[in-house]
Amino acid sequence: MNAGNAAILAPDLLGLSTPALILDLDVLENNLRVMQARADALGVRLRPHVKTHKCVEIAELQRSLGASGITVSTLAEARVFAEAGFGDILWAFPLNLSRIGEAAALSGRVELGVTVDSLTAVEALEAADTPFSVWLEIDCGYGRSGVPYDSGRVVELARRISRAGRLALGGCLTHAGHTYGADSPAAVAALADEERRAMVEVGRALRAAGLEPGALSLGSTPGMSRVETLEGVDEARPGNYALYDYTQTRLGSCTVGDCAVTVLATVVSARDGSGGAIADCGALALSKDVGPDDPPHYGRLFRDASGGELSDHRVTSVSQEHGRLSGRFAIGEKVRVLPNHACLTVAQFDRFEVVRGRRVVDRWKIRRTRD
C-alpha cells in the first residue's frame, strides 16, 4: 500500500465518494499475466502501451512479468515514466515538431524512440543536430497516419534516416486500429494477420535495399487476442488489455469478468414514476465514446453496485457531470458502470481506487499531465 493511504481509504468500495474509478487488482493481475504469456508463446517482446492506464504501479507490474520497454502517446507520459525509472520508451505518435527540443533533452537521459512518417519530420530531426532513435510509422491499412507499407516511400524515408549523421533507424511500427471496426473475431484475426504480413513485407523491402529495418513492431489489443502467428515480427504494443472495457467484450477480446476498470456513481436525481434517473457519471467520468451498440450509449450498468453481471440498464446520455440512466433508481443509490472505452475513461480521473473484491486496498495515481 502506498504510504499515507491507509488512513484515508474507505474499507468498502460502496463507501467511496463518487464518481470513483475502481480498479480490480485481481482482474488486472490476471490480464497482465495472460497477455505476457501470449506474447511469449508468439515469440515477440511485449512493449505495452501505457496510455491506457497512465499509472506507474501498473507499468511496474507489467515490467515485473517480462515486458520489455513501454510505449507512450505523449512526451509528458515519456517524462513521467522516465522519472519513474523506465529507460526504454517509444513515443508512438507522429513527431510534433514543436517538441523536438524537449525530446532531445529526454533522449539524453533515456532510450527514447521518436516516430516519423514524413521527410519534413526527418529533416527537422536532422537539423536539431542531436542523436535520435527514429522509428518509421507504417500504415498497414488503418489509414490514420504512417507511410503505406507497399509504398516506395518506405525505403526512401528509411534511407534518409540511415544516412543522417546523428539519426539511427530504431525500427518500424504500425497499428491496426481498424480491428476495432471488425464485425467478428474471425475478421479481427484476418486484419491482425494482414498487419503482420505488412510488417514482414516492410522488413523484406528494406533489407533488399541494403537497409536494416530495426525492430518490426505492431499490435492492438483486439489483434493480439486473435492473431495466430507473429512470425517475422519482433515486438507487440497492446495497451487496453491491462484493463479492457465494454467495447473489447463486444469484439471478443475478453469477457465482462476480464474488465478491471469500472466507474462507481451515485444517483442524485430521480423523477417520481418517470424513470431516467441522473447519476454523477457524465462525460467527465465516462467520456463521450458511444461504444459499439445500436442504439448507442455511454456505458452499461451492472445488476449490483458490487459488480458481477451486467444489467439491461445503460447510461443513455451525458453532459459534463450528469449521466442519465435508463430504468428507475432511488436517490442516493450507488451504481457501477462498465465504460465503453477504458483509455478515455481513465484519462478523466486523477487516481484509481484499487480493490480486491469489495475491499479497498490502495489508491494509485493516474499520471495524466499534458505539460
Side-chain angles (χ1 to χ4, degrees):
M1 180 178 294
N2 289 341
N5 278 356
I8 60 175
L9 292 175
D12 185 284
L13 72 87
L14 296 185
L16 291 166
S17 298
T18 64
L21 187 65
I22 309 300
L23 174 63
D24 189 311
L25 191 51
D26 291 328
V27 176
L28 168 72
E29 290 172 342
N30 185 65
N31 292 344
L32 302 188
R33 286 193 296 267
V34 168
M35 186 58 79
Q36 185 63 58
R38 181 147 178 76
D40 292 344
L42 288 165
V44 295
R45 297 188 299 271
L46 183 62
R47 182 192 288 274
H49 208 316
V50 300
K51 72 167 186 177
T52 295
H53 55 71
K54 304 180 192 297
C55 179
V56 169
E57 287 85 350
I58 296 177
E60 288 174 340
L61 287 174
Q62 291 171 313
R63 181 168 59 182
S64 73
L65 291 169
S68 178
I70 60 171
T71 310
V72 299
S73 285
T74 70
L75 203 54
E77 289 172 0
R79 279 197 296 266
V80 164
F81 284 90
E83 290 166 2
F86 290 82
D88 181 359
I89 301 172
L90 174 57
W91 182 17
F93 187 83
L95 180 68
N96 182 337
L97 303 190
S98 71
R99 312 301 288 268
I100 289 178
E102 298 165 68
L106 186 57
S107 68
R109 297 165 42 205
V110 299
E111 184 178 339
L112 176 70
V114 297
T115 301
V116 302
D117 69 354
S118 69
L119 181 59
T120 299
V122 175
E123 289 174 341
L125 286 172
E126 194 172 6
D129 197 29
T130 299
F132 277 107
S133 174
V134 184
W135 289 61
L136 182 58
E137 183 176 7
I138 305 299
D139 179 10
C140 65
Y142 184 22
R144 181 178 65 180
S145 57
V147 183
Y149 75 93
D150 53 357
S151 164
R153 291 183 58 229
V154 172
V155 171
E156 175 189 347
L157 286 175
R159 181 173 287 121
R160 181 60 183 269
I161 293 165
S162 298
R163 287 177 175 174
R166 308 198 74 182
L167 306 183
L169 183 60
C172 301
L173 66 91
T174 194
H175 172 62
H178 47 318
T179 55
Y180 282 86
D183 58 6
S184 69
V188 170
L191 289 172
D193 190 57
E194 288 178 13
E195 179 186 31
R196 181 195 69 83
R197 287 188 287 109
M199 293 309 288
V200 170
E201 172 60 23
V202 165
R204 186 206 62 78
L206 291 177
R207 293 186 186 101
L211 300 166
E212 281 302 316
L216 297 176
S217 178
L218 50 66
S220 67
T221 290
M224 281 297 287
S225 75
R226 294 292 169 179
V227 72
E228 296 180 0
T229 177
L230 286 178
E231 184 179 358
V233 171
D234 299 302
E235 69 175 32
R237 307 182 324 278
N240 185 276
Y241 78 91
L243 307 180
Y244 288 122
D245 51 34
Y246 181 65
T247 296
Q248 296 289 348
T249 71
R250 289 295 307 275
L251 288 167
S253 304
C254 67
T255 68
V256 171
D258 297 318
C259 296
V261 157
T262 53
V263 173
L264 183 70
T266 303
V267 177
V268 296
S269 178
R271 295 188 177 183
D272 293 341
S274 66
I278 300 297
D280 57 346
C281 53
L284 290 186
L286 296 173
S287 86
K288 281 200 161 185
D289 192 318
V290 295
D293 287 350
D294 186 17
H297 58 77
Y298 297 88
R300 291 280 302 274
L301 273 65
F302 287 87
R303 293 187 183 279
D304 184 271
S306 297
E309 294 184 359
L310 293 178
S311 72
D312 292 330
H313 298 309
R314 294 161 168 79
V315 181
T316 59
S317 67
V318 294
S319 49
Q320 185 163 320
E321 305 292 349
H322 299 65
R324 184 176 295 277
L325 312 180
S326 65
R328 297 181 180 180
F329 297 88
I331 292 175
E333 186 175 351
K334 294 284 179 68
V335 295
R336 193 97 167 260
V337 184
L338 178 59
N340 288 326
H341 190 173
C343 309
L344 287 179
T345 297
V346 168
Q348 311 303 313
F349 286 87
D350 293 323
R351 62 179 180 265
F352 292 107
E353 304 291 349
V354 184
V355 304
R356 290 196 187 274
R358 283 181 46 163
R359 183 170 60 93
V360 183
V361 298
D362 212 340
R363 175 174 284 166
W364 291 350
K365 187 174 181 179
I366 297 166
R367 312 302 181 99
R368 57 179 181 142
T369 179
R370 302 288 295 187
D371 295 334

